[in-house]
Amino acid sequence: MPESDRAGLEAALEASGLLDAWVLPDGSALGVNGHDVLLAPSGGPVSGPSLADVLRPDVDHGEGRAASLGEATVIGLLAAIGLGSGGGAGTWVAADGRFRVGALTGTWAKPAAAYIGEGAREAARRARIAVLGTELASLREESQAAAARSEAIAAHRRTLDAELASVPDESSLTRAHALVSAAADTVRKARLRREERAAEVTEAAGRAARAATELTETATDLGLPADRGGLTGVRHALGSLAAALAALWPAVRERGEAARQVDDEHAEAADAERRAGELAARAEDAEREAAAADERHRTLRSTVGAAVAELERRLAETADAQRICEAGQKAAQRRHAEADREAGRAEGRIEQLEKDLTDAVGARADAIAALQRFTATGLLAVALPELAIPAADDGPWAATRAIALARAIETGLSSVDDTDAAWERVQRRLSEELKTLQDTLSRHGHSASARMVEDGMVVDIVYQGRDRAVPELAEALAEEVGELTRILSAHEREILETHLITEVAGTLQELIGAAERQVRDMNTELEDRPTSTGMRLRLVWRPSRKAPLGLGQARERLRQSADAWTGEDRAAVGEFLQAQIARQQSDDGSGSRLEHLTAALDYRSWHEFGVERHQHGRWVPATGPASGGERVLAVSVPLFAAASSHYASAGSPHAPRLVTLDEAFAGVDDDSRAKCLGLLSAFDLDVVMTSEREWACYPQVPGIAIAQLSRIDDVAAVLVTRWEWDGTRRQRRDDPVRQPAPDVAGRSEREPQWS
């Protein structure tokens, strides 16, 4: 075939995916990527021209897998693919680069064949060998140059090693000097502590002697023993007496009141019975008198010689006496009935009082048992650790002991808020604290569980394989923390005195010096760019309002070299750093030692930045009254400096340093705009900004790309015109158009254009 037809045929095969398809022993062709079946020639050769007319298989019989594929199979596969579109085959390729695979059609072109034909493959191989030879020669040159540089570097390193070996080592001297200074400081502090303790001992001895004398005199006056054991016995006796009296008086008072009520009821009942007897006797007398009066009346009536007036008088007296007797009889009957009722009520009252007394005794016994059970949970010992609690295995408590303990508990907890709101807060906090305790203990291989008891919740802790109560665990942890604190304090002092004071001080000196130099460089840039009104700005790096105490003196010492410090300077710097570490540990009790040291020695938290402007011959804070443009500059310029400082931490000088500005420099005059944009260039910042009129075409700007947006009312479109400023001239640029790129198989994919 001609070279052009061979190139077109190879292009068609490559674009259709048939060129690099795998051929299986059964004659199926599989795509390399994804193994999708492209062709399975089950219908036999095509009618008309086929690839078998122009291509011949070249099977490598030396390859085992290739040898399993016979040439007849490959010829049959080639015969199933048509050559040109005239045969009506479903799959065909043409010498002009056109192809069809089922419903897929397309075309492609190549300048020359690289796979079809032994000569083409040989030419491609020789071209690849030539390219590889050129690359190999280039790599040899680079290798020789690298070897030369390596030899030069090795010679330089040997020179440096020799010079370094000739320099005497001062680490031992520095370490010894630090140790001597630390030892001297330790001796001085120990001597001061010894003197202070001696003075305290002398003063305490004097107070003890005076107290002993006063105790002896007071004991003699009061007739009490002066020794500790005797006073303890007297105190216990007084406490027992007070408890006994406190328990006795309410019972005596209740019993006396009940006895008085019973005596009163008995007296009322006896009085009622006496009055009833008197009234009954009077009623009998009245009946006898009435009978006698009747008898006399009959006698008088039978007596003829009696005077009428005397008879009438006596009759009237008899009638009055009878009426009086009847009234007295009725009153006596009423009093008798009332006395009976009063006696019944008195008996009922006596029974109720006896029942109330029994119930009170039972309730007191239940309360004592509940108190005894509650003390067995250990919660009372947690709330009042100094309270003496009777042993739980002594049997039921006596009322005197329980009442004394209850009164002591009430006195000890009198200041505790026992409202419903406080109880709800405690309940909520209890679950949170329990969760925190469980999480903390589980991280270290321990466990904590809670169980509900009669009057609260008890937490059971398994610490180091042993069951421990909360007070016991707290004491153990307190002792362990105290011991670790003592050890860590000693280690901290040693580290501060031998390492931190020299190494950290040197690092802090470098960092503080670098920060001051950076602020100075920024202020130099700001000094050269005043506004059109003459306003100048500057940054101030100063101790913050929340700076630790002693920062001013420590900062002055940290500006000096550690080699020039005196013993007093070392002690001052060490105390300052140790104070920061202690403060950080107290503020953040959950952090690690590394986190505490990192936060405590972070010099950035000791300082703050401020912005000042030059006004009326002096520097004042930039927060005062100013015009709109001056306020914009006072806010924007420090932010540019901060962004530049942040981007300076990038490891690569080619890293992007992007800042975005919306409605940039609104209200600022053109001269100040030009200076601010020049300041962005001086800070080496990459700016992307929007503005209603700013194009940034100033000599201070080395280069910028501009997209001008324009629109017309009632037109749903925006016109974008592109410009570029190179520092001296602004030029119009066409919109970038991206060309479609072919894929591996030669197929093109169109991408949207920029607009």
Side-chain angles (χ1 to χ4, degrees):
M1 295 181 65
E3 181 65 28
S4 60
D5 293 346
R6 186 185 295 115
L9 184 62
E10 182 174 321
L13 290 172
E14 185 174 356
S16 64
L18 295 173
L19 180 64
D20 54 355
W22 290 86
V23 180
L24 299 180
D26 61 354
S28 300
L30 300 180
V32 178
N33 48 352
H35 294 286
D36 297 328
V37 176
L38 299 179
L39 181 62
S42 60
V46 298
S47 60
S50 67
L51 283 182
D53 298 335
V54 295
L55 296 180
R56 184 173 57 195
D58 185 11
V59 179
D60 185 4
H61 296 284
E63 174 66 29
R65 298 178 61 188
S68 64
L69 184 65
E71 294 183 356
T73 303
V74 180
I75 293 174
L77 178 61
L78 296 176
I81 302 173
L83 180 62
S85 60
T91 302
W92 55 265
V93 293
D96 58 357
R98 294 178 296 114
F99 65 90
R100 181 184 185 88
V101 180
L104 177 64
T105 61
T107 181
W108 199 35
K110 294 182 68 173
Y115 302 103
I116 297 179
E118 183 178 359
R121 290 194 298 273
E122 182 64 23
R125 186 177 67 83
R126 286 196 296 269
R128 181 58 179 166
I129 290 174
V131 172
L132 292 177
T134 304
E135 293 180 356
L136 185 59
S138 177
L139 291 176
R140 285 196 186 98
E141 294 177 358
E142 292 180 2
S143 178
Q144 293 174 359
R149 289 197 300 272
S150 177
E151 292 178 358
I153 292 173
H156 191 197
R157 182 172 182 177
R158 287 192 296 271
T159 303
L160 291 177
D161 291 340
E163 293 178 355
L164 182 61
S166 63
V167 175
D169 186 13
E170 64 176 3
S171 59
S172 59
L173 178 61
T174 304
R175 190 179 302 106
H177 181 67
L179 292 175
V180 169
S181 300
D185 186 51
T186 303
V187 170
R188 179 179 58 82
K189 292 180 179 178
R191 186 178 294 109
L192 292 176
R193 288 196 297 270
R194 186 189 64 183
E195 294 176 356
E196 293 174 358
R197 297 300 182 273
E200 292 176 358
V201 168
T202 303
E203 184 179 357
R207 290 198 302 270
R210 291 192 297 272
T213 303
E214 184 179 358
L215 174 62
T216 303
E217 295 176 354
T218 304
T220 302
D221 296 339
L222 298 177
L224 296 175
D227 59 322
R228 183 181 300 273
L231 291 176
T232 302
V234 171
R235 183 171 64 251
H236 290 169
L238 288 175
S240 301
L241 177 61
L245 291 176
L248 177 63
W249 282 116
V252 171
R253 184 167 56 252
E254 292 177 359
R255 182 177 180 82
E257 292 178 357
R260 284 195 299 274
Q261 291 179 358
V262 171
D263 294 340
D264 293 341
E265 296 296 340
H266 285 301
E268 291 179 0
D271 190 14
E273 291 178 356
R274 182 180 56 77
R275 287 198 300 272
E278 292 177 356
L279 291 175
R282 292 176 62 183
E284 293 177 356
D285 294 340
E287 290 178 355
R288 287 193 299 271
E289 290 178 357
D294 290 338
E295 183 64 25
R296 285 195 298 274
H297 179 68
R298 287 192 299 270
T299 302
L300 291 174
R301 283 186 178 275
S302 61
T303 303
V304 179
V308 176
E310 181 65 18
L311 291 175
E312 290 180 352
R313 182 183 65 76
R314 293 181 64 183
L315 288 174
E317 291 177 354
T318 302
D320 293 337
Q322 186 178 1
R323 286 194 297 272
I324 292 171
C325 288
E326 291 176 355
Q329 183 179 5
K330 292 180 180 179
Q333 291 176 352
R334 286 196 302 272
R335 287 195 297 273
H336 184 270
E338 184 178 357
D340 289 339
R341 290 194 296 272
E342 291 291 337
R345 285 197 297 270
E347 293 177 355
R349 177 64 176 167
I350 292 171
E351 294 177 356
Q352 182 64 33
L353 289 175
E354 292 177 350
K355 183 177 180 300
D356 293 343
L357 181 61
T358 303
D359 294 341
V361 172
R364 184 180 65 181
D366 294 339
I368 293 173
L371 179 61
Q372 188 172 3
R373 290 193 303 271
F374 181 73
T375 55
T377 62
L379 297 178
L380 185 59
V382 176
L384 298 172
E386 70 281 357
L387 183 64
I389 301 175
D393 54 356
D394 293 344
W397 289 348
T400 302
R401 177 185 298 181
I403 293 174
L405 179 61
R407 292 184 181 278
I409 294 172
E410 182 180 6
T411 303
L413 300 179
S414 60
S415 60
V416 177
D417 187 6
D418 58 351
T419 60
D420 294 340
W423 175 248
E424 293 178 358
R425 288 196 302 271
V426 170
Q427 291 287 77
R428 290 194 299 269
R429 183 181 176 187
L430 181 61
S431 59
E432 297 174 358
E433 296 291 343
L434 178 61
K435 181 65 169 57
T436 303
L437 177 63
Q438 291 175 338
D439 294 342
T440 304
L441 290 177
S442 62
R443 287 198 298 268
H444 300 282
H446 314 299
S447 64
S449 60
R451 54 186 173 88
M452 299 301 298
V453 295
E454 182 178 358
D455 294 314
M457 177 186 296
V458 176
V459 177
D460 298 324
I461 298 174
V462 178
Y463 182 76
Q464 294 179 350
R466 293 173 52 195
D467 294 335
R468 293 177 180 262
V470 174
E472 181 183 359
L473 178 62
E475 293 177 0
L477 291 179
E479 294 178 359
E480 184 176 355
V481 169
E483 183 65 19
L484 292 177
T485 302
R486 184 184 62 79
I487 296 174
L488 290 176
S489 299
H491 285 305
E492 280 180 2
R493 186 162 54 251
E494 181 180 358
I495 291 172
L496 282 173
E497 293 173 351
T498 58
H499 298 285
L500 293 183
I501 294 179
T502 55
E503 298 176 6
V504 173
T507 303
L508 290 176
Q509 178 187 6
E510 295 176 359
L511 293 173
I512 292 175
E516 292 178 345
R517 287 192 299 272
Q518 188 172 4
V519 172
R520 187 165 55 250
D521 295 341
M522 293 179 184
N523 287 333
T524 302
E525 296 291 343
L526 295 175
E527 181 71 21
D528 297 337
R529 291 171 175 81
T531 64
S532 58
T533 60
M535 185 188 73
R536 289 180 296 166
L537 298 173
R538 75 174 182 181
L539 297 175
V540 181
W541 194 53
R542 61 199 176 199
S544 65
R545 289 181 290 272
K546 298 181 180 179
L549 297 176
L551 175 60
Q553 296 81 357
R555 189 183 183 196
E556 293 298 328
R557 291 185 174 93
L558 289 174
R559 287 179 175 177
Q560 303 174 2
S561 175
D563 297 334
W565 286 352
T566 63
E568 182 180 356
D569 294 336
R570 289 179 178 275
V573 173
E575 291 177 358
F576 174 76
L577 296 178
Q578 197 167 9
Q580 304 315 306
I581 296 173
R583 181 176 61 84
Q584 183 63 31
Q585 290 175 347
S586 61
D587 294 342
D588 183 12
S590 60
S592 63
R593 178 68 54 175
L594 178 60
E595 293 173 349
H596 291 163
L597 291 176
T598 302
L601 301 178
D602 187 2
Y603 72 101
R604 296 171 299 178
S605 62
W606 305 342
H607 301 80
E608 66 180 5
F609 280 96
V611 183
E612 295 182 349
R613 65 179 177 182
H614 195 265
Q615 186 178 19
H616 304 303
R618 60 191 182 92
W619 292 98
V620 297
T623 57
S627 63
E630 290 178 344
R631 286 197 296 268
V632 170
L633 292 178
V635 174
S636 302
V637 171
L639 292 180
F640 297 158
S644 176
S645 175
H646 173 69
Y647 283 129
S649 61
S652 173
H654 305 292
R657 302 162 61 89
L658 185 65
V659 293
T660 57
L661 305 175
D662 184 28
E663 296 296 334
F665 308 114
V668 180
D669 58 273
D670 293 341
D671 180 67
S672 297
R673 287 171 179 248
K675 292 178 179 178
C676 288
L677 290 171
L679 188 62
L680 289 172
S681 176
F683 286 158
D684 193 19
L685 296 174
D686 304 322
V687 61
V688 177
M689 65 182 184
T690 63
S691 177
E692 82 286 355
R693 66 178 184 87
E694 182 59 63
W695 283 51
C697 297
Y698 302 109
Q700 293 88 344
V701 180
I704 195 168
I706 307 164
Q708 173 67 21
L709 307 182
S710 304
R711 64 177 300 273
I712 301 175
D713 294 339
D714 300 330
V715 176
V718 177
L719 174 64
V720 182
T721 56
R722 302 185 181 277
W723 304 78
E724 287 187 3
W725 169 259
D726 59 1
T728 57
R729 185 177 57 178
R730 183 175 64 194
Q731 294 181 349
R732 174 74 179 272
R733 297 295 184 189
D734 297 332
D735 290 342
V737 179
R738 299 188 62 182
Q739 299 295 334
D743 61 1
V744 177
R747 290 164 292 186
S748 62
E749 179 182 2
R750 183 172 300 278
E751 298 183 0
Q753 298 181 353
W754 295 95
S755 60

